[in-house]
Amino acid sequence: MSSKSASWYSNVNPSVFLSTVMLIGVFLAIVILAPNSFDLITQQLNRWVTDSFSWFYVLSVAIFLILLIYIALSDMGKIKLGQDHSLPSYSNTSWFAMLFTAGMGIGLMFFGVAEPVMHYVSPPAGEPETISAAQQAMRVTFFHWGLHAWAIYTLVGLALAYFAYRHQLPLKIRSALYPLIGSKIHGPVGDAVDTFATIGTVFGVATTLGFGVTQINSGLNYLTGIEQSAQTQVILIIAVSAMASLSIFLGLDKGIKRLSELNLVLALALLLFVFFAGPSIYLLQTTIQNAGQYISNLFSMTFNLYAYQPNGWIGGWTIMYWAWWISWSPFVGMFIARVSEGRSIREFIVGVLLIPSGFTLIWMGFMGNAALHSILHEANAGLVAAVQRDSSVALFEFLHGLPFSGVMSLLATLLVMLFFVTSADSGALVTDYLTSKSENSPVWQRLFWTVLMALLAIVLLLAGGLGALQSATMLSALPFTLIMLLICWGLLKALRLDVIKMQALQAARITPRAIQNPRSWQQRLGLIMHYPHSKTEVEQFIQAQVLHAFCSIQKEFERRELAVEIIRLDEGLELRVDHHNESNFIYQVIARETLPPSFMADVQAAHAEYYQAEVFLKEGGQNYDVMEWTQEDLLQDIIDQYERHLHFLNLVRLPE
């Protein structure tokens, strides 16, 4: 759409946007008009899904983790999430902070104390409230919040980042299915996939807002005596949404990034306080032991369905968690992809899979073991009773037994609120991407989704429909698990093709060059050690020498009945050879700024802007400069690269 006809709604994808809003409206109407019936139906459906498909969830999540490990260890791990020359957009610290806070930061605040205590009181197997039950409680907690959870997020994020930044497809869930359905992703099938992902994101964030304000309310009640009521929680939802709106207004770099970094600092402060104020040596010993038991039992826990001793525990915990992580994966995966451009696949998998998992295990280890220590060794029966009564107060009841409990409870309440803000603004950002034509959306679109999520949470909170919404979100995980398995298939297919091309570029037989004007060694040295060129000089070289070489080879290709196009780019030229249904050959020469060498004899030149005429292929920059090359040199290099491309196409055609 041209800028002349642009309007305030010009970036809206009507198929996804309107269908999402309509389906949310229908859901709200059903919940408001018949809340009890809808809640009953969703609960029964959830119970049926849990009983009938627990094996499917367990097997699927195991496949996700195994597949990621295989990709990271293979040659596929070398591939960049972007063109070969691309670099990460964010520092490691900022990157980790954003993916962590968007992923499950709020869950750690809610369940860090509550879950180990609940497993201690009601273990999946064995006697409750024993030393063995305490060990099992920590092992199970690690299992629910460790590698498997982040494997789900990593898989979706990897697929989206790869197809968006490597193959220039839209940053949407539909793009992950491109290897399977091709251009159909741009039609109704793609719209349906994105609509499904959008509804899951909206419902997931709204559910978190609705249930999460109960913990904030609990913290404020503990600190100030503010009544725990629906009215208070509505005000809190409005406050959190207003802060999220401000973050959205500031943008990804100034808003979400800075809030995420602040979250990480405050979370580390709370964690260190618990460590030093609590039984430090005990926490180190137990956490290391728990981690060892978790790793040594990882395989058996992965496939343990408690089939021989059915007691409903796995459905209420493990399957619930797997379904919850899967339902959140479009949201978290897309956000992680959004901030991960320029990293290699191996770096991405190791970073997203191991670093947040490691921090999560340390958090759960310190918080959970400190809580269990107070129960086992300090006879803190009040904590057990508080958790059984209301899990949202678990953290505050635990902090009550430590020094400076008032200050720390205030910090914890602030952390919970900030985690909600980052979840809400990240959710709005992702939802906007899914419902827009491009990433350049006006601010109102992101604010619209923030307001809609807040209204959804408020209406359901007042109507008593949050349980129904949670059940509906859990149900959405089953069909999306099928989509994720298709994503696995498509991702493997595309990555295998990329690896074949990478190997082909290295292994192709290059025909002998017909060197008409051989250079002396002095000339070759002078070409290598040339002084920097200005941007104007490089552009003139491209428009003269490179263009002439492109025109010469275009005539020869066309004589052999191949369609060849020369395209003028902002910074250079592109030669494109059309191979119809196969991968096209692309050869670009781009004027690219680079750093001057430190050994430059001319000091003034060393401080000037340094440009080179760099060769780009479809995969990105090739890190060599063709400035001052002759016509023959350029033509021979184009033929070399074209021969490698044909070698790649031949390998792809070979029967498996």
Side-chain angles (χ1 to χ4, degrees), residues 115-116 119-120 123-126 131-148 286-287 289-302 304 306 313 318 322 361 364-365 368-369 372:
E115 184 169 343
H119 293 321
Y120 170 73
I131 298 295
S132 177
Q135 292 181 346
Q136 185 180 202
M138 292 307 304
R139 187 167 66 248
V140 169
T141 302
F142 277 25
F143 178 58
H144 289 158
W145 292 84
L147 293 173
H148 293 76
T286 51
T287 301
Q289 183 172 329
N290 298 146
Q293 291 177 339
Y294 165 63
I295 294 170
S296 62
N297 290 278
L298 187 62
F299 192 83
S300 60
M301 287 192 296
T302 298
N304 190 0
Y306 298 92
W313 182 90
T318 303
W322 288 180
L361 298 188
M364 289 296 190
N369 281 309
L372 291 174

Side-chain angles (χ1 to χ4, degrees), residues 58-74:
V58 167
L59 184 61
S60 297
V61 173
I63 289 172
F64 301 155
L65 181 58
I66 294 168
L67 178 66
L68 288 170
I69 295 172
Y70 167 71
I71 291 174
L73 296 177
S74 69

Side-chain angles (χ1 to χ4, degrees), residues 345-389:
I345 287 179
R346 183 171 293 132
E347 182 185 7
F348 179 88
I349 292 175
V350 171
V352 181
L353 195 59
L354 296 185
I355 297 177
S357 295
F359 185 87
T360 300
L361 298 188
I362 293 172
W363 179 281
M364 289 296 190
F366 284 7
M367 291 291 184
N369 281 309
L372 291 174
H373 180 272
S374 70
I375 296 170
L376 290 168
H377 301 284
E378 298 171 2
N380 189 355
L383 179 57
V384 175
V387 171
Q388 290 178 314
R389 186 174 61 254

Side-chain angles (χ1 to χ4, degrees), residues 27 33 58 75 162 169 181 345 349 442 447 511 554 576 622:
F27 174 83
L33 296 174
V58 167
D75 286 340
Y162 174 74
L169 292 171
I181 62 175
I345 287 179
I349 292 175
L447 293 178
T511 54
Q554 182 185 32
R576 180 185 293 264
Q622 300 302 296

Side-chain angles (χ1 to χ4, degrees), residues 8-26:
W8 64 276
Y9 57 86
S10 61
N11 200 42
V12 170
N13 182 346
S15 299
V16 180
F17 189 96
L18 295 177
S19 58
T20 301
V21 173
M22 288 173 60
L23 288 170
I24 291 172
V26 170

Side-chain angles (χ1 to χ4, degrees), residues 279-498:
S280 304
I281 302 300
Y282 176 85
L283 295 182
L284 286 174
Q285 291 174 333
T286 51
T287 301
I288 291 173
Q289 183 172 329
N290 298 146
Q293 291 177 339
Y294 165 63
I295 294 170
S296 62
N297 290 278
L298 187 62
F299 192 83
S300 60
M301 287 192 296
T302 298
F303 295 98
N304 190 0
L305 282 161
Y306 298 92
Y308 292 97
Q309 62 262 47
N311 54 11
W313 182 90
I314 189 171
W317 283 103
T318 303
I319 303 304
M320 184 274 293
Y321 269 123
W322 288 180
W324 191 249
W325 301 146
I326 289 168
S327 66
W328 266 65
S329 62
F331 154 43
V332 181
M334 185 173 293
F335 183 78
I336 292 173
R338 178 68 178 79
V339 299
S340 300
E341 183 180 4
R343 300 183 182 274
S344 71
I345 287 179
R346 183 171 293 132
E347 182 185 7
F348 179 88
I349 292 175
V350 171
V352 181
L353 195 59
L354 296 185
I355 297 177
S357 295
F359 185 87
T360 300
L361 298 188
I362 293 172
W363 179 281
M364 289 296 190
F366 284 7
M367 291 291 184
N369 281 309
L372 291 174
H373 180 272
S374 70
I375 296 170
L376 290 168
H377 301 284
E378 298 171 2
N380 189 355
L383 179 57
V384 175
V387 171
Q388 290 178 314
R389 186 174 61 254
D390 183 4
S391 57
S392 66
V393 304
L395 178 62
F396 304 106
E397 186 67 29
F398 162 68
L399 292 173
H400 183 67
L402 297 177
F404 310 106
S405 60
V407 176
M408 288 300 108
S409 295
L410 179 62
L411 175 62
T413 304
L414 178 63
L415 254 177
V416 173
M417 186 167 287
L418 288 177
F419 273 127
F420 275 118
V421 172
T422 52
S423 293
D425 59 13
S426 303
L429 185 72
V430 168
T431 306
D432 177 55
Y433 287 155
L434 287 168
T435 57
S436 301
K437 295 177 182 177
S438 70
E439 295 183 13
N440 302 317
S441 300
V443 176
W444 78 262
Q445 283 183 225
R446 298 175 186 177
L447 293 178
F448 170 83
W449 292 111
T450 308
V451 173
L452 183 64
M453 292 172 189
L455 286 174
L456 185 61
I458 290 170
V459 171
L460 292 173
L461 181 69
L462 297 176
L466 281 173
L469 180 58
Q470 186 180 32
S471 297
T473 305
M474 301 288 288
L475 285 171
S476 70
L478 182 61
F480 197 75
T481 304
L482 291 170
I483 294 175
M484 287 184 67
L485 290 172
L486 291 175
I487 288 173
C488 290
W489 183 16
L491 183 63
L492 266 180
K493 193 175 177 181
L495 287 175
R496 178 182 170 275
L497 207 60
D498 223 333

